[in-house]
Structure formats: structure tokens, C-alpha cells
Amino acid sequence: MACGGAAFPRRASVPRRRRFQFPKLPKPRITASMCLYQFLIAVRSEGQNLTNEDGETTSHLMGFFYRTLRMMDNGIKPIYVFDGKPPQMKSGELAKRGARRAAAEVSLKEAQEAGEQENIDKYTRRLVRVTKEHNTEVQQLLTLMGIPFVVAPAEAEAQCAALAAAGKVYGAASEDMDTLTFGTPTLLRHMTYSENRKKPINEVSYEQVLEGLEMTKETFVDLCILLGCDYCESIRGIGPHRALALLREHQSIENILASLDPDKFTVPEDWPYAEARRLF
DNA sequence: ACTCTGATTCAAGACGCA
DNA sequence: ATAATTGAATCAGAGT
DNA sequence: TGCGTCC
């Protein structure tokens, strides 16, 4: 997640990008959770989600329906992957999110009182929440459409990587670089943009990324951990450049830690980098 | 002067018609 | 009871 | 391409 593509130094990110040409029967797997969010946030009219006559939201169903149809039109057979249990989070992180949500609620109320429609929309979007019902409704829709989906035991990204690595699908469609870290041979980015004809689909090959960065799978995983992944925080003061340079020099987090100047960089206490590494 | 990091902010879908 | 993103772009500021 | 509509 946090291992964003933009986080990689431009010069080093030699992973070649080439225009994606549809193979015969591509079956990319797609993480459904993010789609759900985006549909609920974006599919609106006059600030409100689309609803049926009973007032129940249908934005997510519309979104999935049309996007899936469009993919089928282009010869893509998608397999959606739903998140299972969300990754465990730290209490500090939870508190931070709670605070942000509270702030958005306050801002929303202010905007409502001031009658600022633009801000009302903005903060309403920020408060969007995906429920279990949304998930099951979408799954039901996919079933009716005959579109396969998988509910991942834990994180969707890992499940996708497994499907892709096993050759069950052509590739994994996601914006999340963690998907690569999980070992997906092929990552497809901008899947939705390209459906919208705004940007070309970006095909990233794991092999070529490693080659371009001159890294092994092991050092690449360490790199992603240093950049900050979902499972543990990163070291303050170490960003993409230093992380890459340090790994080139020392090959592993252990070696880096042994040589880091403790006066300059503070390593988090009980830093669970090894556990994070084990997850990938 | 320049490089890097980290904080902040914003926007987020798809269709069809003109 | 509990909940809730993220990538990209931009800016500020620390460190070199 | 821009814009109103989708429910």
C-alpha cells in the first residue's frame, strides 16, 4: 500500500513500461475493495448516491456492472478478489483515523450550516464507508452476471499474487505496489483509467522491476518494508533514495541496522520488520 | 544551491448526446 | 461496539 | 470534449 509507485526514485525505476496489448483471454484478477470505495465516492448525483425507490444505495452496483461489461467488451475476463480480514492496525493509527473522521464530520456540519454545497460534497465523500452489505450485494451481482470472484482469507493482494503466480490469471490489476512484493509476476496498473480512455494500461513485470533495480526478491521486499508497508512503520529520515542506497550497500535490513548511526536515525522500538518480511 | 523527506491537499465512475 | 483510502501533486523545511 | 444523467 504505502509502497507507492511514486515512491521509487525516477532514475532507478527502470522497470520498462510498455503499452498493454490485450492477450487472447486475459483474466486479470482485480481487488474489489478499492473499486467499492471509489464507486461509492464517485457515483453521485447532486451530492447523493444513486438509490433505488426504497432509498437504498445502488452506486456500487452500477459501477461494478458497467465496468465489468466494459471489460468483457474488450475481451477481458475479470476475477474479482475481495478482502477478507483487514490487516491488523496499530492503536495509534486507529486513533489518528478516528480523529480525521471526526474532523471531517465537524467540517461537514459547518459546511451544511453555511450552505456551502461544494464543501458539503467534499466532506460527505470523505465520510464514505464500505459496509458488509455493500460487499455482499456486489458479490450477488457478480454471481448473477456469471463473473467469478474470490474472497481472500486475509489480504486480497496476497491472494491475487498467488493466483497470478500459479498461472490461473494473466495478471493482477491493482495500483498497489505491494502486489508486486507479494510476488505477482505481472501487475496491471491504470486498469480503470484505460477503460475510461484517459491513460494507457501499464503493465509491470516483476522480473523487469528486479532487473531494473538490480535487486533480488529478498532485497526488494526489504526495500518495500523500509519504504513503509501496511505491517510496520518506516524509519524516520529514510525515504526512497536512502533506502535504495542503503540496500545496495548492505543487502539487508539487518546489515543496515548494524551500520546505521543511531544519532541520526531512530529505529522504532520492537520494529517488526522480520514479521513483515515473513508476510510477503 | 540542491536533494531528500515528510506533511498537506485533492480528487475519486460511466454513459450518451450535442 | 465500531467504523475509514490512497495516489499524485505540491510545498515546506531539514540536511547535505 | 463538455455536460447532464444514471437511481
Side-chain angles (χ1 to χ4, degrees):
Chain A
M1 223 170 264
C3 304
F8 290 98
R10 189 171 294 270
R11 183 181 56 76
S13 69
V14 185
R16 290 145 230 180
R17 320 196 146 179
R18 69 170 201 252
R19 246 226 163 69
F20 177 66
Q21 311 237 326
F22 293 119
K24 279 192 180 157
L25 285 177
K27 287 188 289 184
R29 73 82 212 169
I30 295 171
T31 31
S33 309
M34 216 20 162
C35 300
L36 254 170
Y37 250 108
Q38 288 176 332
F39 288 138
L40 286 173
I41 287 171
V43 184
R44 287 166 178 273
S45 182
E46 292 168 20
Q48 302 294 310
N49 282 117
L50 307 183
T51 62
N52 65 10
E53 57 259 20
D54 293 332
E56 294 165 314
T57 298
T58 55
S59 293
H60 52 312
L61 300 176
M62 295 278 294
F64 268 87
F65 184 68
Y66 282 117
R67 184 177 288 181
T68 304
L69 282 188
R70 180 170 263 274
M71 281 191 279
M72 298 293 282
D73 274 349
N74 284 282
I76 303 173
K77 296 186 175 177
I79 300 177
Y80 287 96
V81 178
F82 289 81
D83 269 311
K85 291 179 194 163
Q88 57 171 27
M89 269 189 279
K90 300 220 161 109
S91 53
E93 200 60 26
L94 281 176
K96 223 182 273 177
R97 290 181 180 180
R100 255 180 302 184
R101 178 175 171 263
E105 277 176 344
V106 171
S107 299
L108 174 61
K109 196 164 279 184
E110 284 172 1
Q112 282 170 338
E113 282 164 9
E116 301 162 335
Q117 191 58 46
E118 215 171 285
N119 281 341
I120 292 177
D121 292 351
K122 181 163 121 189
Y123 293 118
T124 302
R125 280 169 215 254
R126 207 168 286 185
L127 290 169
V128 161
R129 190 183 67 192
V130 179
T131 67
K132 188 180 283 185
E133 285 69 37
H134 290 140
N135 275 283
T136 53
E137 282 163 14
V138 168
Q139 287 169 10
Q140 193 181 351
L141 173 70
L142 292 174
T143 301
L144 292 172
M145 291 175 74
I147 304 293
F149 65 88
V150 174
V151 179
E155 205 167 352
E157 308 301 338
Q159 176 73 32
C160 300
L163 284 173
K168 307 272 190 212
V169 295
Y170 177 82
S174 169
E175 301 308 302
D176 187 344
M177 278 303 183
D178 275 7
T179 315
L180 271 189
T181 317
F182 279 117
T184 308
T186 302
L187 172 67
L188 303 172
R189 297 181 70 226
H190 303 154
M191 194 67 136
T192 73
Y193 289 148
S194 86
E195 297 296 330
N196 205 13
R197 292 187 233 124
K198 280 183 210 154
K199 288 184 189 172
I201 289 183
N202 193 207
E203 183 173 0
V204 180
S205 149
Y206 191 28
E207 287 303 319
Q208 287 178 3
V209 167
L210 294 182
E211 195 182 310
L213 292 171
E214 294 174 359
M215 299 186 97
T216 63
K217 298 189 180 190
E218 288 71 30
T219 49
F220 183 68
V221 167
D222 276 7
L223 174 65
C224 291
I225 292 173
L226 282 175
L227 294 181
C229 62
D230 283 346
Y231 309 109
C232 65
E233 46 194 328
S234 54
I235 302 174
R236 191 165 189 90
I238 301 220
H241 280 83
R242 275 173 210 160
L244 192 56
L246 286 169
L247 270 173
R248 280 193 202 285
E249 187 182 347
H250 300 291
Q251 302 302 316
S252 77
I253 290 182
E254 282 85 355
N255 294 341
I256 290 173
L257 292 183
S259 67
L260 260 195
D261 183 348
D263 292 336
K264 284 186 185 168
F265 300 103
T266 310
V267 178
E269 268 181 61
D270 299 324
W271 196 40
Y273 68 91
E275 285 156 52
R277 188 189 281 159
R278 198 160 35 78
L279 290 168
F280 289 116

